């Protein structure tokens, strides 16, 4: 029993220490800074109460704009990432030759860092799209990332391209976990491909949808590196997301107190939305 306890704490302690040192303590310290006027440079800081929190919604239109843009982006990207990821999972679980190679190809974008990914797609949108548009005389492809609309869809495309392969792996594991006896029984009863998909596959992999929605939702709200490298919030801050707005407040405007207040509000909002999504998704799960 003693050896078991020692082994347990031997495995748990490094993770617990990292969580406390990297997550818990900075969160508590940041919460304290949100009640001050610290600029991140001076050693002096004054307690100003809830002034920063009041300023977040009443004196900072950029934050409200970034918040609304982030919500819009999260809704569209969550749907796109999970639909594409689920579609890819259905394709590569058909048992044909080369399916394992396709799995690796579809998953590879997830291995590329966000900053590198953003700059790569920035080149594609601004140079490759423009060249194709000029060649085919299609004006729609000219000037991508130069307007709020194309900047928004550029972010959605990049996020979907990167995360759908990761969601595919989750859906593959769940699809392969469906007993063959259930599929065979449905086939014998005359159920077509669409009926088997909607009446058997989708209900039985509901836990995978719960995980996929949670991960894609939290990633969409916290997106930073692609936003920074792809559009930088431009044009005129119209594609600036919450994470980038907090970063700019802290390191461009040197207002760490206000940035910490925004981060606390951001944390509460993301936690509330994610937990609500988990609650309703869990209620719709079907046990095998």
């Amino acid at each position: 029993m003693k050896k078991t306890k020692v082994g347990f704490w031997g495995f748990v302690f490094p993770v617990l220490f990292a969580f406390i040192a990297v997550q818990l303590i900075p969160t508590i310290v940041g919460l304290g800074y949100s009640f001050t006027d610290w600029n991140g440079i001076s050693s002096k800081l004054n307690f100003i109460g809830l002034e920063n929190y009041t300023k977040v919604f009443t004196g900072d239109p950029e934050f409200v704009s970034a918040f609304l843009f982030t919500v819009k982006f999260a809704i569209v990207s969550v749907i796109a990432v999970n639909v594409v990821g689920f579609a890819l999972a259905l394709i590569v679980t058909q048992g044909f030759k080369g399916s394992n190679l396709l799995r690796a190809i579809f998953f590879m974008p997830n291995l590329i860092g966000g900053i590198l990914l953003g700059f790569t797609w920035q080149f594609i949108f601004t140079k490759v799209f423009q060249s194709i548009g000029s060649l085919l005389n299609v004006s729609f492809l000219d000037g991508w990332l130069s307007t709020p609309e194309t900047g928004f869809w550029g972010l959605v495309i990049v996020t979907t391209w990167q995360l759908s392969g990761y969601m595919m792996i989750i859906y593959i594991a769940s699809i392969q976990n469906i007993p063959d006896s259930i599929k065979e029984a449905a086939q014998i009863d005359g159920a077509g491909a669409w009926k088997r998909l909607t009446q058997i596959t989708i209900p039985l992999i509901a836990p995978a949808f719960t995980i996929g929605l949670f991960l894609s939702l939290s990633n969409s709200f916290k997106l930073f590196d692609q936003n920074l490298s792809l559009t930088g919030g431009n044009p005129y801050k119209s594609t600036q997301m919450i994470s980038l707005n907090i970063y700019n407040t802290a390191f461009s405007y040197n207002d760490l107190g206000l940035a910490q207040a925004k981060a606390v509000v951001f944390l509460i909002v993301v936690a509330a939305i994610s937990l609500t999504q988990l609650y309703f998704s869990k209620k719709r799960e079907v046990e095998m």
Side-chain angles (χ1 to χ4, degrees), residues 233-259:
N234 295 313
Y236 307 110
K237 308 295 183 183
S238 59
T239 61
Q240 179 178 242
M241 299 179 70
I242 294 180
S243 296
L244 183 58
N245 178 262
I246 294 172
Y247 172 84
N248 287 331
T249 303
F251 301 107
S252 297
Y253 307 145
N254 291 328
D255 197 340
L256 266 291
L258 179 59

Side-chain angles (χ1 to χ4, degrees), residues 19-286:
F19 173 76
I20 293 173
V22 178
Q23 294 285 343
L24 189 59
I25 293 177
T27 300
I28 295 172
V29 173
L31 180 62
Y33 281 138
S34 69
F35 297 104
T36 69
D37 62 352
W38 189 43
N39 61 9
I41 301 173
S42 174
S43 59
K44 296 180 181 180
L45 61 160
N46 302 310
F47 179 80
I48 58 175
L50 297 174
E51 185 178 323
N52 284 327
Y53 290 94
T54 304
K55 193 184 299 183
V56 166
F57 292 106
T58 61
D60 194 341
E62 273 191 21
F63 179 78
V64 177
S65 175
F67 180 83
L68 295 175
F69 180 83
T70 304
V71 171
K72 175 184 172 184
F73 169 81
I75 293 172
V76 176
S77 63
V78 165
I79 295 172
V81 166
N82 285 279
V83 168
V84 174
F86 180 61
L88 294 178
L90 289 176
I91 292 171
V92 299
T93 51
Q94 299 304 309
F96 58 86
K97 284 186 178 181
S99 60
N100 290 332
L101 176 62
L102 285 179
R103 294 184 191 192
I105 293 172
F106 293 149
F107 184 75
M108 281 177 62
N110 189 68
L111 304 176
I112 305 174
I115 295 291
L116 177 61
L117 194 70
F119 283 123
T120 302
W121 275 93
Q122 185 188 69
F123 173 79
I124 293 172
F125 286 136
T126 56
K127 301 297 183 182
V128 178
F129 273 32
Q130 187 173 358
S131 298
I132 295 174
S134 300
L135 184 65
L136 301 177
N137 197 24
V138 179
S139 60
F140 173 73
L141 296 176
D142 295 336
W144 265 72
L145 306 183
S146 62
T147 67
E149 290 76 19
T150 54
F152 170 79
W153 287 110
L155 285 167
V156 171
I157 291 170
V158 172
T159 303
T160 304
W161 188 76
Q162 183 182 31
L163 294 181
S164 57
Y166 184 78
M167 296 302 145
M168 176 195 69
I169 298 299
I170 296 173
Y171 293 131
I172 286 173
S174 197
I175 290 171
Q176 291 179 335
N177 198 38
I178 299 175
D180 291 333
S181 58
I182 297 177
K183 301 177 185 177
E184 291 168 1
Q187 238 171 344
I188 292 171
D189 289 341
W194 178 252
K195 279 284 186 182
R196 293 198 303 272
L197 174 65
T198 56
Q199 302 298 323
I200 296 175
T201 303
I202 292 178
L204 290 180
I205 66 167
F209 282 112
T210 300
I211 297 170
L213 288 172
F214 174 78
L215 292 175
S216 56
L217 188 64
S218 57
N219 281 328
S220 296
F221 269 99
K222 296 184 296 182
L223 193 74
F224 171 75
D225 39 6
Q226 292 93 325
N227 190 202
L228 176 66
S229 56
L230 187 66
T231 67
N234 295 313
Y236 307 110
K237 308 295 183 183
S238 59
T239 61
Q240 179 178 242
M241 299 179 70
I242 294 180
S243 296
L244 183 58
N245 178 262
I246 294 172
Y247 172 84
N248 287 331
T249 303
F251 301 107
S252 297
Y253 307 145
N254 291 328
D255 197 340
L256 266 291
L258 179 59
Q260 287 292 348
K262 290 180 178 181
V264 172
V265 172
F266 183 38
L267 172 64
I268 294 171
V269 169
V270 173
I273 293 174
S274 299
L275 291 174
T276 302
Q277 174 265 316
L278 278 176
Y279 173 76
F280 285 106
S281 298
K282 280 285 185 182
K283 288 180 68 175
R284 298 179 64 86
E285 291 182 6
V286 177

Side-chain angles (χ1 to χ4, degrees), residues 3-18:
K3 288 182 179 179
T4 303
K5 288 183 177 179
V6 170
F8 172 79
W9 285 108
F11 281 104
V12 171
F13 178 76
V15 178
L16 186 63
F17 175 78

